[in-house]
Amino acid sequence: AYANNEVYGVDPNNPSENHISIFEVGEQLDRGESYYHFQNLKTKNELLAESVFTPSFDSVEYEEIDGNGDTTLTKKIPPLSIQLSEEFGMRFIEADTSVYNDLDLFLEEFAGLYITTLDQHLPASEGSLMNINFLSDDTKIILYYSNNSEDSLKLEFVTNSSTARFGNYNHYEYADASAAFRSQVIDGDTNLGSNIVYLQSLAGVRTIVKFPYINKIDDYYNYAVNEAKLFLWDAEDPLSELSPISSLTITYRVVLEDNDTLYPTIIDANSGETFFNGNYNTENRNYSFRITQHMQRITAGETNDSEIRIEIIGGAVRPNRSLIYGYNPTDAEKRMKLQVLYTQIDSD
């Protein structure tokens, strides 16, 4: 099932072709284990299916009957259907029936599917990304079969919130990225951040911002931070099909005694979305964060670092990226800035 009607990267009315290949997983996923984007599982070599398709979001009407027997017409996006090999299906028919009475035995027989796009099928240019909903009732494996009496039957293997799954993302070391991006992010030329900085989901790129001159003030008790707001301006071409990230968040660096580093969420985020914000403003084409409490803690020396990290909310499932103007771009009115309103308290 399609998760929504967004195709990221191209005109949604003219989406590009997609090529999906499906293999069987060769080892079990542990539902109690944490998996990361860089991890892989063993897979079997046999190709179970391939599908070349163009996403279609033309809704169809269907009848839906509720518990009272009332019928309503509902619009629905048709799910993608991919036919797996008949040899794969026969394994379920020929398996010892005891595997269907015990989940662990069943998972030993069938650990899962690996759904991917092979390197040779990646587009030479453009391309697109879309979301698939693995929690939908329409996402499942259906086994159709008939017995000797020619009765047609079917067996459904559904996915739900208990289904173990994770996404593996490979950016191929950004070999095809722009020269400016590679120089800044891959080669570490942070001076280039004066013009443009980058944010990308799916195990992509975060942006680090430092405030080297706002560390502890000796007479901090004579100052009260009334409001501190961080402004980030969208540097993407307004005509681009690459829609900006809808919401961001901020974490801050904490260096422990053993030099381990943590990035907890900034304290102001606990005050709620309305206060903290971080949502994309479509009219102004920018993001803003209210980080008053955090800046007060820095000036008072209550946190030992003034570095923050701008991150994407839902970056594991959202495909979007954003280009953000840096601290000294060509368009000076849209530079990244921290605005602090404070009161100097009478020392008496």
Side-chain angles (χ1 to χ4, degrees), residues 161-187:
S161 58
S162 298
T163 304
R165 64 197 186 280
F166 74 98
N168 170 270
Y169 309 119
N170 191 338
H171 296 280
Y172 301 98
E173 298 182 349
Y174 293 99
D176 297 324
S178 69
F181 176 93
R182 287 189 57 83
S183 295
Q184 181 182 158
V185 178
I186 305 301
D187 300 333

Side-chain angles (χ1 to χ4, degrees), residues 266-287:
I266 204 165
I267 186 173
D268 297 84
N270 298 329
S271 299
E273 181 180 317
T274 302
F275 177 87
F276 179 60
N277 204 344
N279 297 320
Y280 184 71
N281 185 315
T282 54
E283 181 177 352
N284 296 331
R285 302 189 69 240
N286 72 350
Y287 303 88

Side-chain angles (χ1 to χ4, degrees), residues 195-212:
N195 185 38
I196 296 288
V197 295
Y198 304 90
L199 291 166
Q200 183 191 31
S201 56
L202 304 182
V205 179
R206 301 182 179 100
T207 282
I208 291 175
V209 179
K210 297 181 180 180
F211 304 104

